[in-house]
Amino acid sequence: MSYDPDTNAISSAQDSSQMASDNDADSQEISNDELVRKIYKNLTSSRKHLATARDEMRRDFDFFAGTQWSEEDKKVLDEQGRPAIVFNRIPRIVNAVCGLEVQNRQEVQFMPRRVDASSESDIINDAVKWVRDGCDAEDEDSEMFRDCIIGGYGFTETVMAYEENPDGDVKVNRIDPLEIL
C-alpha cells in the first residue's frame, strides 16, 4: 500500500516486488506469546529503572505533607524523651510557585504552517479553548504542575468520556504520578 499526500489517497501496491517485500514483513511479525514476553520484559525493566525515582517521589510528597522524620529518628527522639517537631515551610514555597503558574498561565495555541492558513488555525484555537474551558483543563493542569513541583513528575490525560453524554465529552484528568510506570 502507498499513500499519496496530494490526493489523500491510499492505493494498493501494483509492483510485485513491493508485494513481495510486504509479505516478507508479515512473516517477520512476532507471535502473541513473544509479544507478551517482550511487553512483560519492558514493563519489568521500566519498573526497575524507575524504582529509585518512585521512592524519592514518595519521600518528596511525604516531606510536603509534613512527614519529615524517618522512623529511626523518631524512635531515637522518643527514647530521649524529645518531641519530633516539624516546622514545615515547604507548602508555603510550593503554593507561591503554583500561584505564579496560575497568574502566568499560557494558552494552548496552534500556529499555521502557511500564511494562507491563519483562519484555519484561528478556528482550531477557538475550538481547543472552548473544549478546555468546558472540562476545566486549567485546573487539572495546575494540579499536574503542583505534582511536578513537589515530586518532579506531573501527568494529565485527555480522554473522551461517555458516562454523562452518549455523544462523548472531552475530559482532561490529572494522573497520580506514582501510578505511571
Side-chain angles (χ1 to χ4, degrees):
M1 295 229 173
S2 64
Y3 174 71
D4 182 6
D6 295 327
T7 62
N8 282 336
I10 298 175
S11 59
S12 58
Q14 300 295 324
D15 183 40
S16 61
S17 63
Q18 175 68 32
M19 293 175 72
S21 67
D22 287 346
N23 288 337
D24 291 342
D26 291 343
S27 65
Q28 293 178 358
E29 288 184 15
I30 59 177
S31 70
N32 286 341
D33 291 338
E34 291 173 14
L35 180 61
V36 168
R37 278 193 287 278
K38 186 174 183 177
I39 290 171
Y40 181 76
K41 178 183 170 193
N42 289 342
L43 285 172
T44 304
S45 173
S46 175
R47 284 190 180 128
K48 190 183 301 181
H49 178 74
L50 293 175
T52 304
R54 224 180 260 285
D55 291 340
E56 288 179 18
M57 195 182 323
R58 280 189 192 95
R59 199 174 80 238
D60 293 342
F61 278 100
D62 285 345
F63 258 68
F64 177 79
T67 308
Q68 299 177 7
W69 290 97
S70 68
E71 292 301 320
E72 298 85 32
D73 291 340
K74 282 186 194 177
K75 186 177 179 183
V76 169
L77 288 172
D78 191 42
E79 289 171 357
Q80 295 174 352
R82 297 169 44 194
I85 297 174
V86 174
F87 294 101
N88 193 2
R89 296 187 175 123
I90 297 170
R92 186 179 320 157
I93 294 168
V94 169
N95 290 340
V97 173
C98 290
L100 288 172
E101 180 266 335
V102 170
Q103 289 176 351
N104 298 305
R105 186 171 285 145
Q106 303 292 312
E107 281 189 13
V108 174
Q109 284 201 330
F110 296 90
M111 306 304 286
R113 290 187 180 197
R114 298 180 320 267
V115 176
D116 61 337
S118 64
S119 63
E120 295 161 355
S121 67
D122 291 342
I123 293 169
I124 293 170
N125 284 325
D126 290 342
V128 168
K129 185 172 177 10
W130 181 79
V131 168
R132 288 181 57 82
D133 287 346
C135 66
D136 296 325
E138 289 180 344
D139 294 338
E140 298 295 321
D141 287 346
S142 291
E143 288 182 36
M144 179 265 308
F145 183 79
R146 177 177 295 274
D147 289 341
C148 193
I149 293 297
I150 296 169
Y153 294 92
F155 303 95
T156 58
E157 68 176 346
T158 304
V159 297
M160 287 293 292
Y162 296 95
E163 293 86 17
E164 297 171 13
N165 181 357
D167 293 331
D169 290 322
V170 176
K171 299 283 185 188
V172 175
N173 302 315
R174 171 205 162 258
I175 302 175
D176 184 350
L178 294 170
E179 292 180 7
I180 300 293
L181 296 176

